[in-house]
Amino acid sequence: MIKKKVNFDLPLRYVRYLRMSHEIQNKRSPDQQADTINRFLELQKRPWQCAYDDYRDDGVSGRLLRKRMDFAQLLDDIERGRIVVDLILVDTPERFCRAAQFAEIQRKLFEQYGVLVLAASNGFTDPTSDAGKALTMVESYRSTVEGQIKAHQVLRGKRDAARQGRWPGGPAPTGYKLESVLMDVNGVKEVSHKRLVVDDSRAWIIQEVYRIAHQKCWGGVRITKELNSRPEVVEAYGKELCEQTVSRWLVNSIYTGVLVFNCHSTDIIDDIRVIQRNPPEDFEIVKNFCPSVISAEVFDAVQKLREARSKKWNDPQQPTDEKLIRPLVNGVSLKYPLTGLIRCQVCGRSARPMRSGPLARSGSKYHYYFCPGGRDGSCTNKASVRGDHLWAAVVQHLRAHVLPREDPSVMPSWYARFCENIRSRLQPLLTPEQDRLPFLRAQMDDLQKQIEGWSKSLSNHSLAPELRSMIEKNCGEALAKQRQLSTEIAGLTPRELDWEAILNPTALRQRLDSLDTLLSEDNATATNVELAKHIYAIEFDQTGAVTMTATVFGFFGELADLVAAPVDAAVIARRLRRRQEPMKILSDIDDPILGEVTGRRPPELDAEWVWTAPLEIPTTVSWAKRHAAEVAKAKAEGLSNGQLAERFGRSKPTIAKALKHARESEAGKQTPPASSDAA
């Protein structure tokens, strides 16, 4: 078993990391952490050297990793070799990250980069020693249990506050506002608690929402459209409403004066905020908690309407095959392969897929993509695109432009021109810096020989203490210099084999076959991840016209970034190195799907490699429109809509649509054409 011992008497290079969790906390907390670290360094008379400026995150929870910008930058700088340090100093381990991630990140930093994380709270104890390992285990258990105890105490206090009619915390619901209740403390008025009171400037919006839902039996989408069409509503609310907000209002019992507290539990897992519904026995229901905005009768009637509408669409007879133990974070599992790649050309929102509803009489079932803003009235794009037609057009375009080959053993026609273009752009940028490489490599070889010699000397047990201390100091400095030279050489190396390997025809043939196979399979998630490499965006406008921006760079990693603009050789080599090992320190918590299913902006490249082209989507005519004349003729015989539905084998709504098309068609024929004569 390899044992690596660190000599803390050497002049180790360190950097400090400081953090406070929330903006409402003490603004001086990070500065106080820095003072505490410096005080312990002076007390212990450590010869360590501060090598770089502090990394600091203000107002960010320690449960978040990627969203802490300076924390992520610190790990990335260590990984890329931008900074060369031996230690990361923090006030307490919790300032660096939570206990669940601390051990794994610290292990990777030490084993792969030779960096230790030390805390002033435990006197900079060596985490590699037996005592340090035991202390780390105890600290991890302590912080975990302490967090659970605090959460229990906070929930207990909020439950008690809710029972007493006090607002347990958070922003007030729309239609209410918070009113401070003062109490006399030693002759000074102080805020005791806050309570909900009706906000007359917005309460009428809630009343109007429930009136429409009750009287017209409308759902959240239609109510949102109606209210967004009224300027007074948008002005009072401050912005346009969205469907999700209105739907939440329609199920919130607080508007009847009843508070249902502790319905959900929240946590941050893998940098994702997870909301989980609690079992009913954990609810805290407080009646007469605040003044009501609507009556309980209206609220109950609306809930019955919503329940009936939900049962209509969610067929309870359909078989289910669900896990008995569900994961806390579901990740990304897609039904449709183009989800996240389609966007509204008007507002830029990601299009939402929607199925056509229950199976038709013919047994067919469709899905459509639409702009969510078009449904609630916040976007003018009301068009929708049928999913199966769009998928067929995308596959046809990719096979014609990205996979243009009849014989799988033959490379696409664009491959030779692409390789020539890439080499002509990269090669001139990678050659000027190579003169320094022999000199730097010679220095590396000399340092390696010195370190080997000093290592043999240190193995001599009879070596004088003064001489041993001097050799250890020299050896430590040589190791630091060796790491610095290694980083510099990596930044100058052209790594021609790396990007030549990317352009290798054998590797490309495998990628082509992989894409070709996925386009023929029924694995929506894997296909979506692969398509995100080749499609920058699919956009549709108000007329339903669709355009797609695609590229062949998806087969070649991130070469697009390298050739998009002229840069120097060091940047080229550094970028190439990053493509090979992206953020290894946090690799265990990286989600390969989340990084791909996002809208991206294409780089400025030749139109031959990144292009935008229209997609031919076949137009479909509904049954109601095709048979409008036949249905109208049968209606003239005196048949009811129900009888027409039985005759034609369709539903009553379909018959009603057919009659509407017939009326519109007849009205168009009767409208006289405009005169072309001059007045």
Side-chain angles (χ1 to χ4, degrees):
M1 182 177 180
I2 298 176
K3 295 183 178 180
K4 189 173 182 179
K5 187 176 181 181
V6 180
N7 186 354
F8 289 97
D9 293 330
L10 296 176
L12 304 177
R13 296 159 60 89
Y14 71 85
V15 64
R16 294 179 300 194
Y17 176 73
L18 317 170
R19 181 185 65 82
M20 70 175 185
S21 299
H22 202 280
E23 294 177 352
I24 65 174
Q25 292 180 338
N26 179 15
K27 303 292 184 183
R28 289 271 306 156
S29 176
D31 298 322
Q32 294 169 356
Q33 296 170 33
D35 293 341
T36 302
I37 293 172
N38 292 338
R39 184 169 62 86
F40 271 86
L41 288 174
E42 293 176 0
L43 289 175
Q44 297 183 6
K45 300 187 182 328
R46 298 287 189 179
W48 303 340
Q49 302 173 0
C50 183
Y52 302 94
D53 294 337
D54 296 338
Y55 288 78
R56 170 171 172 165
D57 286 309
D58 290 341
V60 189
S61 171
R63 293 180 294 177
L64 298 171
L65 295 179
R66 300 184 190 92
K67 293 184 180 180
R68 282 192 278 157
M69 302 307 296
D70 269 26
F71 176 80
Q73 187 66 50
L74 170 60
L75 298 185
D76 191 60
D77 288 346
I78 292 174
E79 177 186 334
R80 310 302 180 195
R82 300 188 195 102
I83 64 173
V84 179
V85 294
D86 304 294
L87 306 172
I88 299 175
L89 302 186
V90 294
D91 181 29
T92 64
E94 290 85 353
R95 296 300 94 194
F96 191 68
C97 63
R98 289 296 183 257
Q101 298 96 11
F102 183 81
E104 180 62 19
I105 294 178
Q106 180 174 245
R107 182 189 65 80
K108 284 192 173 186
L109 283 171
F110 181 60
E111 292 181 356
Q112 299 180 15
Y113 303 98
V115 178
L116 287 173
V117 182
L118 304 183
S121 60
N122 55 35
F124 301 128
T125 302
D126 179 8
T128 63
S129 64
D130 293 338
K133 292 176 182 178
L135 182 60
T136 300
M137 182 178 63
V138 172
E139 283 289 326
S140 175
Y141 178 76
R142 178 200 59 77
S143 62
T144 302
V145 173
E146 184 180 14
Q148 294 173 350
I149 293 175
K150 286 182 179 179
H152 171 77
Q153 293 173 342
V154 169
L155 179 60
R156 182 186 62 195
K158 288 189 173 186
R159 281 182 180 275
D160 184 64
R163 296 191 193 103
Q164 299 181 47
R166 302 178 178 183
W167 182 241
T174 302
Y176 290 97
K177 60 183 178 181
L178 293 175
E179 181 182 75
S180 298
V181 178
L182 303 179
M183 62 181 299
D184 193 348
V185 180
N186 298 327
V188 179
K189 295 291 185 180
E190 294 183 358
V191 176
S192 170
H193 60 275
K194 294 184 178 182
R195 63 186 180 188
L196 284 183
V197 296
V198 176
D199 182 5
D200 295 329
S201 64
R202 286 189 171 187
W204 65 273
I205 300 178
I206 303 298
Q207 294 168 349
E208 186 66 7
V209 167
Y210 274 89
R211 184 191 68 79
I212 297 174
H214 185 217
Q215 295 181 2
K216 298 186 178 182
C217 302
W218 285 3
V221 175
R222 299 180 71 181
I223 296 174
T224 304
K225 285 184 179 179
E226 171 69 19
L227 296 182
N228 281 336
S229 65
R230 303 182 188 179
E232 66 275 12
V233 174
V234 177
E235 182 180 358
Y237 187 65
K239 59 181 180 180
E240 290 186 334
L241 302 175
C242 68
E243 171 197 348
Q244 291 81 3
T245 300
V246 174
S247 297
R248 283 197 299 269
W249 291 346
L250 288 172
V251 296
N252 196 345
S253 63
I254 193 68
Y255 296 116
T256 63
V258 178
L259 173 68
V260 182
F261 177 68
N262 197 36
C263 293
H264 299 88
S265 297
T266 62
D267 201 351
I268 296 177
I269 301 175
D270 196 12
D271 263 26
I272 300 173
R273 186 170 183 263
V274 179
I275 302 177
Q276 189 178 66
R277 187 170 180 83
N278 293 329
E281 55 267 22
D282 288 346
F283 293 179
E284 187 69 40
I285 301 176
V286 183
K287 297 182 179 180
N288 300 321
F289 178 80
C290 62
S292 62
V293 174
I294 59 171
S295 65
E297 292 76 12
V298 171
F299 180 83
D300 293 339
V302 170
Q303 302 315 305
K304 290 180 180 179
L305 289 171
R306 291 176 61 85
E307 184 179 355
R309 190 182 298 113
S310 175
K311 286 182 178 179
K312 178 181 177 181
W313 287 97
N314 299 324
D315 185 7
Q317 301 301 323
Q318 292 182 352
T320 60
D321 184 18
E322 296 185 354
K323 282 173 58 62
L324 298 180
I325 302 178
R326 300 186 63 83
L328 293 177
V329 181
N330 292 325
V332 177
S333 181
L334 304 177
K335 275 187 177 180
Y336 309 114
L338 296 179
T339 302
L341 299 176
I342 311 172
R343 295 192 170 270
C344 171
Q345 198 175 69
V346 178
C347 65
R349 286 186 176 97
S350 179
R352 185 183 302 170
M354 179 179 67
R355 61 185 175 88
S356 57
L359 289 177
R361 294 177 185 270
S362 61
S364 58
K365 194 173 185 180
Y366 310 104
H367 71 280
Y368 295 83
Y369 293 98
F370 66 94
C371 174
R375 295 188 67 193
D376 57 31
S378 59
C379 178
T380 58
N381 192 349
K382 313 292 184 183
S384 60
V385 183
R386 186 163 152 176
D388 54 345
H389 292 169
L390 178 61
W391 172 245
V394 169
V395 172
Q396 181 182 0
H397 183 88
L398 291 177
R399 292 193 185 280
H401 295 81
V402 180
L403 301 169
R405 53 175 190 159
E406 297 179 358
D407 184 0
S409 62
V410 178
M411 301 303 294
S413 57
W414 50 262
Y415 172 68
R417 300 192 309 277
F418 181 85
C419 292
E420 182 181 354
N421 185 287
I422 293 297
R423 291 190 179 99
S424 64
R425 293 195 183 201
L426 291 183
Q427 195 63 45
L429 298 174
L430 293 172
T431 52
E433 297 288 338
Q434 301 310 303
D435 295 338
R436 295 185 57 202
L437 278 176
F439 172 72
L440 295 176
R441 285 173 175 161
Q443 280 189 299
M444 283 283 291
D445 293 339
D446 293 341
L447 285 173
Q448 184 62 31
K449 293 177 181 178
Q450 292 178 4
I451 292 172
E452 291 175 357
W454 286 328
S455 299
K456 292 179 181 179
S457 300
L458 290 174
S459 63
N460 184 5
H461 298 289
S462 61
L463 195 65
E466 296 82 2
L467 186 57
R468 178 180 295 277
S469 177
M470 183 185 68
I471 292 177
E472 287 178 347
K473 180 180 179 181
N474 293 338
C475 188
E477 293 174 352
L479 288 171
K481 180 64 175 177
Q482 193 179 48
R483 287 195 296 269
Q484 182 179 354
L485 288 174
S486 177
T487 302
E488 189 173 358
I489 290 174
L492 295 177
T493 301
R495 293 185 179 264
E496 296 178 4
L497 292 178
D498 296 339
W499 55 272
E500 284 292 351
I502 295 175
L503 297 175
N504 184 276
T506 303
L508 174 60
R509 191 174 290 110
Q510 294 175 353
R511 301 185 197 111
L512 290 167
D513 293 340
S514 174
L515 176 61
D516 198 5
T517 302
L518 284 173
L519 292 179
S520 305
E521 291 182 348
D522 190 20
N523 188 335
T525 302
T527 305
N528 185 279
V529 173
E530 185 66 25
L531 288 181
K533 302 175 184 177
H534 309 281
I535 299 175
Y536 281 108
I538 301 173
E539 297 179 326
F540 66 98
D541 59 16
Q542 294 102 317
T543 65
V546 181
T547 59
M548 181 171 75
T549 303
T551 180
V552 297
F553 274 102
F555 296 112
F556 306 101
E558 299 292 339
L559 280 180
D561 290 346
L562 304 180
V563 299
V567 289
D568 58 40
V571 173
I572 286 285
R574 205 158 51 239
R575 285 179 177 178
L576 283 169
R577 187 170 66 254
R578 291 183 193 178
R579 306 311 171 210
Q580 296 176 337
E581 302 172 337
M583 286 298 287
K584 292 191 297 183
I585 299 176
L586 299 181
S587 60
D588 286 351
I589 61 171
D590 280 347
D591 191 330
I593 297 178
L594 291 178
E596 298 289 351
V597 187
T598 54
R600 298 168 295 161
R601 186 179 299 275
E604 297 297 331
L605 294 168
D606 296 343
E608 186 176 7
W609 316 125
V610 179
W611 64 90
T612 300
L615 297 180
E616 295 295 333
I617 307 296
T619 57
T620 57
V621 181
S622 65
W623 184 96
K625 195 169 186 178
R626 290 199 312 271
H627 297 83
E630 300 174 33
V631 175
K633 184 177 179 180
K635 181 70 174 178
E637 299 175 3
L639 298 178
S640 66
N641 285 9
Q643 292 171 330
L644 290 173
E646 292 181 4
R647 172 183 289 191
F648 289 98
R650 299 288 163 174
S651 63
K652 289 183 181 180
T654 303
I655 296 298
K657 289 180 181 178
L659 293 173
K660 180 181 178 182
H661 285 306
R663 289 193 298 269
E664 292 174 350
S665 177
E666 188 65 26
K669 293 178 181 179
Q670 295 177 359
T671 303
S675 175
S676 59
D677 296 336

